């Protein structure tokens, strides 16, 4: 059974997209690292808590497939519609959030390069000059 769990997690890792703009902060990269740590021996790994492992997989799968965004209420005891006639439970009228910012704008803002530029902008003039003309790196000054 551990081999089947391992294969399911591998399939999830393969399907999970990696965002190159979020270097070292991407959920897909973290997922791959955690799976590698949890299944060090591959298919031969003994899972200490199979129920928790299965629950984690199901939770990650729901995130990956946008389960709650695409969820339909068909089959619910209060819903008389068939699954083909059922509307989406949580319909999105627009692809924005409460601030009105679009998905593409959010991706751009959260990109690692943009965040580095923002950190650079936060530095004071004196620190920028010191870093520019100093032979030492700023990390060495703080030691």
């Amino acid at each position: 059974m551990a081999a089947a769990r391992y294969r399911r997690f591998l399939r999830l890792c393969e399907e999970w997209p990696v965002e190159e703009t979020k270097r070292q902060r991407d959920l897909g990269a973290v997922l791959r690292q955690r799976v590698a740590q949890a299944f060090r021996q591959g298919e031969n790994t003994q899972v200490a808590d199979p129920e928790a492992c299965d629950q984690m997989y199901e939770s990650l799968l729901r995130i990956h497939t946008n389960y709650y965004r695409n969820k339909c209420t068909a089959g619910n005891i209060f819903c008389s519609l068939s699954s083909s006639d059922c509307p989406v439970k949580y319909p999105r009228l627009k692809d924005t959030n409460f601030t009105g910012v679009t998905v593409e704008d959010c991706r751009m803002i959260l990109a690692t390069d943009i965040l580095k530029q923002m950190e650079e902008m936060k530095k004071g003039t004196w620190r920028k000059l010191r870093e520019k003309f100093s032979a030492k790196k700023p990390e060495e000054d703080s030691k």
Side-chain angles (χ1 to χ4, degrees):
M1 193 65 176
R5 282 187 182 88
Y6 175 67
R7 280 187 240 115
R8 288 189 327 176
F9 272 101
L10 280 184
R11 193 174 332 112
L12 183 64
C13 287
E14 289 172 2
E15 292 174 2
W16 201 288
V18 175
E19 283 196 50
E20 296 299 325
T21 61
K22 293 183 182 176
R23 292 183 292 273
Q24 300 174 348
R25 300 179 304 115
D26 182 43
L27 185 58
V30 171
L31 175 65
R32 287 168 180 77
Q33 290 172 353
R34 294 279 176 98
V35 168
Q37 288 173 355
F39 293 96
R40 287 189 190 106
Q41 298 171 349
E43 293 183 355
N44 298 327
T45 302
Q46 295 298 319
V47 179
D49 190 358
E51 291 82 22
C53 182
D54 291 341
Q55 185 178 10
M56 179 65 70
Y57 173 78
E58 293 299 325
S59 297
L60 290 169
L61 186 63
R62 283 193 296 271
I63 292 170
H64 174 62
T65 59
N66 285 327
Y67 174 79
Y68 291 104
R69 181 178 183 183
N70 303 327
K71 185 177 179 182
C72 179
T73 56
N76 188 324
I77 60 171
F78 302 111
C79 181
S80 61
L81 297 173
S82 67
S83 59
S84 62
D85 298 329
C86 186
V88 175
K89 184 172 184 181
Y90 306 108
R92 296 256 175 129
L93 302 177
K94 299 178 181 177
D95 277 339
T96 61
N97 59 22
F98 71 96
T99 63
V101 178
T102 64
V103 175
E104 283 304 314
D105 290 341
C106 285
R107 283 194 180 119
M108 184 187 73
I109 292 168
L110 294 173
T112 302
D113 297 336
I114 300 295
L115 290 175
K116 284 182 182 178
Q117 288 176 4
M118 290 174 67
E119 284 297 318
E120 188 67 30
M121 288 171 42
K122 287 182 184 178
K123 291 181 182 177
T125 306
W126 181 251
R127 187 170 180 187
K128 287 180 189 175
L129 287 172
R130 191 175 66 196
E131 288 176 3
K132 186 174 182 177
F133 295 110
S134 176
K136 294 189 289 184
K137 292 183 179 175
E139 293 85 31
E140 294 174 4
D141 282 344
S142 63
K143 290 182 181 177

